[in-house]
Amino acid sequence: MKKFLFILMLTSGVYAQQEVFNVQQYCVDVKPFKKGECDISGNEYSFVFLDTKKKDVTFFFTDTKLKYKIMESHVDELNSNFMWYDLENEKGKMDMKINKQKTKIEFIDASNHIYLTVGKSTKLE
């Protein structure tokens, strides 16, 4: 019974989200940045939950949970293939961009660039 309740609670949290991205590959570029180079890379169990209605982004990155509020979003003026999100949490600010095909997500801050190749998005409403 406890196991059933745990699974029920776990799935109800997932279904409250609008879109779920399954991370297939990640690449972390740490300052000093070198285009196309990864200081850390892999394909461990990771997900990105994007809820534009609640203005929340949650990124489960291997054993780390990063949670942000969406402060603003806009389409890139120079390249309309990307949607930009200005994110903020108690530790600071970060930018996130997602391509139109929803196959690439980038998290960008002053010291790290995290490049994600993601699988099919699941839209939950």
Side-chain angles (χ1 to χ4, degrees), residues 23 45-49 58-66:
V23 176
Y45 195 66
S46 300
F47 290 93
V48 176
F49 296 93
T58 305
F59 178 22
F60 290 95
F61 183 54
T62 62
D63 61 350
T64 306
K65 178 181 177 182
L66 306 169

Side-chain angles (χ1 to χ4, degrees), residues 34-104:
K34 296 178 183 167
K35 183 98 173 142
E37 285 194 22
C38 299
D39 295 304
I40 304 165
S41 64
N43 60 357
E44 283 90 358
Y45 195 66
S46 300
F47 290 93
V48 176
F49 296 93
L50 172 64
D51 190 332
T52 54
K53 291 179 186 173
K54 293 183 181 177
K55 296 191 172 234
D56 286 328
V57 173
T58 305
F59 178 22
F60 290 95
F61 183 54
T62 62
D63 61 350
T64 306
K65 178 181 177 182
L66 306 169
K67 190 165 175 83
Y68 294 94
K69 274 294 194 200
I70 299 172
M71 306 310 288
E72 188 178 323
S73 62
H74 61 277
V75 175
D76 190 331
E77 292 177 11
L78 300 175
N79 185 350
S80 63
N81 288 321
F82 290 95
M83 174 67 90
W84 281 87
Y85 296 89
D86 299 330
L87 309 176
E88 191 172 313
N89 67 10
E90 65 280 349
K91 294 182 181 178
K93 296 180 180 186
M94 180 173 284
D95 292 324
M96 178 180 76
K97 74 177 188 178
I98 302 176
N99 69 347
K100 268 188 182 175
Q101 298 81 16
K102 297 188 176 187
T103 57
K104 305 266 186 216

